[in-house]
Every structure is written in structure tokens, then in C-alpha cells.
Amino acid sequence: MAGSLTKFCEYMRKACQDWSLGYDQYQRWNIYDGGECDCSSLVIWALKQAGFDVGSASYTGNMSSNLCARGWQRLPFSILNAKAGDILLNDTHHTAAVISGSGATAKIAQASIDERGRATGGAAGDQSGSETNVRQIYTYRHGWDCILRYGGAPVEVGKVEVDGYIGKLSVTEWQKQLGVKQTGVIEGQLSSMASYWPRLTAVGYGATGSDFMKAIQRKVGVPNPTGIAARGTICALQAWLILKGFGAGIVDQAGYLGDTTACALQRSLNAEAWK
């Protein structure tokens, strides 16, 4: 069974964003909510959870040889070349995973350092809020020696990119799962309501509403669906995503479809949760 890059990215995101996972090189394989890891044990663990064969990979120094013998490619590092599913590797010091986006807008997940700025000896769990973290891609201070990119076949990929923007591809998949006409656009929306959904980009304006939006509203439990998305619809959407297990990372204001709500929605689409 081939590994899933989508699952790999999701395991990395969940461990670094949803869990309280700390950093400790002596306790590096205690990977669970409230546990400990280091940079390489976390990436190797996430690969295993996602179904990849990692061979005897155990730290940064042998990740490249083991993964490249199992379908991965070692590519020169360039921020502009990075994309979701890639592993950033310094063979001596550090590794991280690109979990969404591409190029300079990509986001990575990584285990960094313990709450005291040390490699060992801290308390279990994430005491600082950044021992494990999700952040914008960056050039490591010692440099990234390479990008490891999976080139084997076949790999399950997400139906939509988790980039925080609900555009035509996301909307089309949403419509497909809800069994309505696939236009790639949410029609009939009021421009006066647009401030509640800034990350929703595939929108047609008017005052008619849409059957697609009514289907969404029924799914998330909006009483008396109108087909027009306002703050109440976004609140109900956020509550539904949290109930279904996709919204643990949502930090947007209630009733506001920002980056984290959009990413949670895209993860739910990749899981086919709307069928």
C-alpha cells in the first residue's frame, strides 16, 4: 500500500498545531498529545502513520539514504521550489515538513527546541506553545541541504490544496460531495456579507441565494436556510467542522471565515466529510 502525502501533512499539522507536543531528544519517540519528540523523530513518525516505508531511518543523518532508496528524490533546496509534502532537510542539524501551499507562501510544521531553549530536560508537552509549531517557510540558519520529494507511484493526494483560500477547485469538490451542480462558484451572494468570508474567493453576487448554499446550511444545521451566507452560517460551519474533528486549529473569530477556518474546511473536503 502506497503512502499518502495528504495524510503525512495532516499528521504533521495535527501534532504541531492541535496537540501539546514538546521537544526532548532523550524522550524523542514519546509522540502523542502531551508527549515529546525531536525534529527527525516527528517527521519519521508522521511518515509511518501515513503509510510510508522509512526503512531504518532514525535521525537526520540517515533519513536521506533510507527515503531515497524507497521512492524519494533528493532535490536542491529553493524556497520557490517547495510544495506540500516535501521534507526540508539539513543532514546534520534539522528537518521539517512542508504541509500546505508552495513557494514563499508555503507553511511548514516542525519540532524546534524545548521551553528553555535546550535540547533535553524540559517538561513533557509543549510548555512554550512553540516547541512544535506551524509557521511560514524559511531558510534554516545552517541552510537546508536538500528537499526530499516523493517520486514513487502511486501516492494518494488531496482533492484540494490546503492553502486557506476557498476557490473554484475547492468549491467544485464541495458541490460534488453535496450532490449539486458543479459550477465552481457560489452564486447569489450579497456583497454586504462578504466581510464575513474573506477567504471565499469563488463567489457570484446577487440577492437570489443558491441551492448549493442552502445544501451547506442544511448540512451544518442552519434553521430556515436562505441560500445566502451571513455570519450565522459561518458560525454554524465552524461548529460543524469542530464537531467532525476538523476544527481543532481554528483560531478565526466566530462567524468569520478566515485562514484557519478555510484550511479546516479544505481538510474536511479531502476527507470527503460532506458526502
Side-chain angles (χ1 to χ4, degrees):
M1 179 179 177
S4 164
L5 290 177
T6 298
K7 291 180 180 178
F8 170 56
C9 293
E10 178 59 15
Y11 276 112
M12 288 292 299
R13 184 206 65 79
K14 185 179 182 71
C16 294
Q17 191 171 68
D18 295 352
W19 289 358
S20 176
L21 182 62
Y23 186 102
D24 192 307
Q25 290 185 357
Y26 286 167
Q27 308 293 331
R28 60 196 295 261
W29 296 109
N30 294 341
I31 302 175
Y32 51 83
D33 192 0
E36 305 274 32
C37 68
D38 69 3
C39 64
S40 57
S41 69
L42 178 60
V43 171
I44 292 166
W45 170 85
L47 287 169
K48 289 179 177 178
Q49 299 305 304
F52 286 99
D53 178 3
V54 301
S56 59
S58 59
Y59 74 112
T60 55
N62 65 11
M63 282 177 58
S64 181
S65 59
N66 276 279
L67 295 183
C68 288
R70 291 166 174 80
W72 294 74
Q73 301 172 350
R74 187 178 174 102
L75 305 175
F77 171 73
S78 165
I79 281 182
L80 296 180
N81 188 36
K83 65 180 184 178
D86 285 350
I87 297 170
L88 307 181
L89 180 65
N90 178 292
D91 294 293
T92 304
H93 297 290
H94 192 40
T95 187
V98 181
I99 62 168
S100 68
S102 61
T105 64
K107 291 182 180 178
I108 67 168
Q110 63 180 356
S112 294
I113 200 68
D114 81 4
E115 69 272 22
R116 303 169 305 160
R118 300 178 184 177
T120 61
D126 189 350
Q127 304 301 312
S128 67
S130 60
E131 292 185 51
T132 53
N133 57 82
V134 173
R135 58 162 292 178
Q136 200 84 4
I137 193 171
Y138 68 98
T139 299
Y140 181 51
R141 61 191 176 94
H142 294 296
W144 298 115
D145 292 326
C146 68
I147 289 173
L148 295 178
R149 177 171 296 164
Y150 191 73
V155 180
E156 175 192 330
V157 296
K159 294 173 174 59
V160 298
E161 182 178 356
V162 182
D163 61 359
Y165 289 93
I166 308 302
K168 185 173 182 179
L169 293 178
S170 294
V171 169
T172 299
E173 180 60 29
W174 207 357
Q175 291 169 328
K176 178 181 178 182
Q177 291 186 29
L178 284 171
V180 301
K181 185 177 180 181
Q182 296 170 40
T183 63
V185 177
I186 304 177
E187 300 286 1
Q189 301 304 301
L190 296 175
S191 59
S192 59
M193 298 291 119
S195 61
Y196 295 119
W197 26 265
R199 292 302 184 102
L200 186 59
T201 60
V203 179
Y205 293 101
T208 60
S210 72
D211 290 338
F212 172 43
M213 183 52 64
K214 286 182 181 178
I216 294 170
Q217 291 170 326
R218 287 191 292 268
K219 187 79 171 181
V220 302
V222 174
N224 303 316
T226 63
I228 294 175
R231 184 174 183 180
T233 296
I234 306 305
C235 283
L237 170 64
Q238 290 169 322
W240 187 88
L241 289 168
I242 292 169
L243 178 66
K244 296 296 182 179
F246 299 99
I250 291 177
V251 296
D252 296 328
Q253 179 183 344
Y256 179 83
L257 202 163
D259 175 67
T260 57
T261 302
C263 287
L265 172 57
Q266 288 171 320
R267 293 195 298 271
S268 75
L269 292 171
N270 284 333
E272 300 186 342
W274 293 86
K275 288 188 173 180

